[in-house]
Amino acid sequence: MPCDQHGHDDGASSRHGHARPGARAVPPPRFVTPPAHLADPRAFLAALPTMARRSVRDSVLVLVVDRGDPRGLLHGTLDRLDHVLTAARSGAVAVRAALELSGGAALVAGFGPPERVDPHVRSFLTEAAAAGLPVLAAYRATGDRFWSYLCEDEDCCPAEGASFEPQARTTLWKPPDPVAERRNGSARPMEREAVESEAVESEETDPARVRALLEPVVGEQRAAVAESAALLEERFRAERGREASRSRIRRVRSVVRREVSERIRDPDTLAMLGVALLDLRVRDAVWARITPEEAPLHRRLWSRVTRHVPHRHRAGPASLLAVAAWQAGDMALARAAVQSALAARPGYAMAVLMERALGWGLSAERWARHMAENADRFEFEPGVEDGEEPGSGRVPPSR
């Protein structure tokens, strides 16, 4: 769960003799009866390690769903949450991420001691209630017992908790059947992984994660990005030439540096990034400097841009996302991002180049060295005018 350090537990205890999850005054979340496949708490708790592809010990996880189908999985370790965020902020950040995944409801589970888990889950419940996000279930698992945050009677939540098997593993959804890819302008059905968040570090193929990192957002924020992008396009058309490109490169690099300490979400900046990449000098200047060390940051940023910008602007950020995912070893996302770029703009040279690199099994490390050695060439090339494809004639270095 991408949250900041949470505040300390208030020390409240309940008649159950443990730090009662509902001891603090929390606005009641909108409770919706979960669908049958999500109603069994033991099956839900056992499915989370499978979905996260990593240990859930001392962690808080939020499963985001829409009409019973997965939209994404937010995962944060307690050490990270306690030292990077605050309990007061963690819930707000997680709820915002859930809504950006177009989630219609959420299920939350914390694994660890009550004094560490409760503040984060309470924060999430409070913010979910304020945002109108229905919470289907909320649990804390400590050892081999679990408690619900949403029940109030002994039959539902006995003082000693209910038993479950911490090592049990199960699945709640089967992966979708493969569908032949199309490049006629419609998006290829793609796998979806756990979440856009840097908190999810698994690179194994997970259908929920990949789709969540590429699926366009809906709602007011995307409309605001589209409106801003339309205005910026008009200005950018009038600002041609090398000096204009240099200015755009500086602006984009400034945003990339900001992403180190904050998530860039405001519509004007997201629109600027999408429109700036129409200038292929700008795109190549970014591309040449995606290193394995900075790949997670670029993956996070360009995923967000890809999901927010209008369809006509997706090819550039999706291609950069493919490079970043490849450099991070995230092959499922890299392939899906390439197809997303080609769906937005068939024949887009950078995406074609990445498709070849992935198809040939080109070493990401060798590619990174090649780009580093030729970084200056990728900024300004003699004779290349706006609208041409500087990368169209390039081929990856030999294996």
Side-chain angles (χ1 to χ4, degrees):
M1 189 163 81
C3 313
D4 289 345
Q5 174 189 342
H6 295 355
H8 299 293
D9 194 302
D10 60 6
S13 61
S14 74
R15 55 187 170 77
H16 291 173
H18 60 277
R20 175 68 177 167
R24 291 175 62 186
V26 174
R30 289 178 56 200
F31 180 78
V32 177
T33 301
H37 65 292
L38 295 174
D40 181 350
R42 292 176 177 82
F44 169 62
L45 294 173
L48 289 176
T50 303
M51 297 183 70
R53 305 284 184 175
R54 60 185 295 182
S55 171
V56 297
R57 181 180 178 182
D58 292 331
S59 299
V60 178
L61 299 94
V62 177
L63 175 62
V64 184
V65 298
D66 183 51
R67 292 186 291 275
D69 293 325
R71 304 293 296 184
L73 181 67
L74 313 181
H75 178 287
T77 64
L78 293 176
D79 284 343
R80 179 177 180 81
L81 299 184
D82 288 340
H83 293 92
V84 177
L85 294 168
T86 66
R89 288 188 56 205
S90 69
V93 174
V95 168
R96 184 167 63 245
L99 294 175
E100 288 184 355
L101 289 171
S102 301
L107 300 87
V108 58
F111 295 81
E115 64 273 12
R116 297 192 68 193
V117 171
D118 287 354
H120 297 284
V121 177
R122 288 178 185 149
S123 176
F124 180 82
L125 293 176
T126 300
E127 297 296 335
L133 177 68
V135 177
L136 306 184
Y139 304 105
R140 171 172 53 78
T142 304
D144 61 355
R145 318 291 292 182
F146 72 90
W147 292 261
S148 170
Y149 289 82
L150 302 180
C151 68
E152 290 299 334
D153 59 72
E154 290 284 353
D155 292 336
C156 169
C157 186
E160 68 278 10
S163 63
F164 82 112
E165 175 49 61
Q167 302 306 316
R169 297 292 182 267
T170 188
T171 57
L172 296 176
W173 292 275
K174 293 181 180 179
D177 294 331
V179 181
E181 67 183 71
R182 295 174 293 172
R183 290 189 188 167
N184 58 1
S186 60
R188 173 190 179 190
M190 274 178 279
E191 300 170 329
R192 188 163 109 195
E193 201 183 65
V195 74
E196 174 218 34
S197 170
E198 71 275 19
V200 180
E201 298 168 358
S202 170
E203 308 308 344
E204 299 180 47
T205 301
D206 182 340
R209 181 181 66 94
V210 176
R211 203 183 318 175
L213 288 167
L214 281 166
E215 193 167 75
V217 300
V218 295
E220 294 181 1
Q221 188 173 27
R222 191 158 193 254
V225 172
E227 181 179 357
S228 181
L231 296 174
L232 285 170
E233 277 186 275
E234 294 183 11
R235 191 195 333 164
F236 276 27
R237 287 193 192 100
E239 298 173 349
R240 299 174 63 87
R242 292 175 177 274
E243 286 307 316
S245 295
R246 287 190 179 95
S247 175
R248 292 166 193 161
I249 290 170
R250 286 193 294 269
R251 291 182 65 189
V252 171
R253 286 180 175 165
S254 175
V255 172
V256 171
R257 289 192 295 270
R258 282 173 51 201
E259 179 72 17
V260 173
S261 58
E262 62 175 299
R263 289 195 175 190
I264 307 303
R265 298 183 184 278
D266 63 283
D268 290 342
T269 302
L270 293 174
M272 183 277 292
L273 292 172
V275 174
L277 294 184
L278 297 177
D279 182 337
L280 300 176
R281 295 188 182 108
V282 177
R283 183 205 65 187
D284 284 2
V286 177
W287 175 16
R289 283 164 172 73
I290 298 178
T291 64
E293 293 75 22
E294 294 190 357
L297 179 150
H298 282 274
R299 178 176 53 180
R300 191 169 72 232
L301 175 62
W302 298 117
S303 166
R304 196 176 314 122
V305 176
T306 301
R307 298 180 65 234
H308 283 82
V309 297
H311 183 75
R312 67 185 183 278
H313 295 160
R314 280 171 62 89
S319 296
L320 292 178
L321 173 60
V323 174
W326 183 40
Q327 290 292 323
D330 192 346
M331 305 306 290
L333 178 59
R335 294 188 183 95
V338 164
Q339 297 308 319
S340 181
L342 292 171
R345 187 171 168 181
Y348 189 70
M350 182 178 176
V352 171
L353 191 58
M354 275 304 305
E355 187 177 46
R356 292 175 188 168
L358 293 168
W360 295 347
L362 181 67
S363 163
E365 292 78 8
R366 183 175 179 81
W367 176 274
R369 290 197 302 270
H370 171 78
M371 296 298 281
E373 292 167 0
N374 295 275
D376 292 341
R377 295 180 58 243
F378 283 77
E379 295 219 15
F380 297 100
E381 291 193 356
V384 174
E385 299 298 330
D386 295 341
E388 295 182 16
E389 277 281 15
S392 58
R394 297 181 183 137
V395 294
S398 61
R399 287 172 286 177

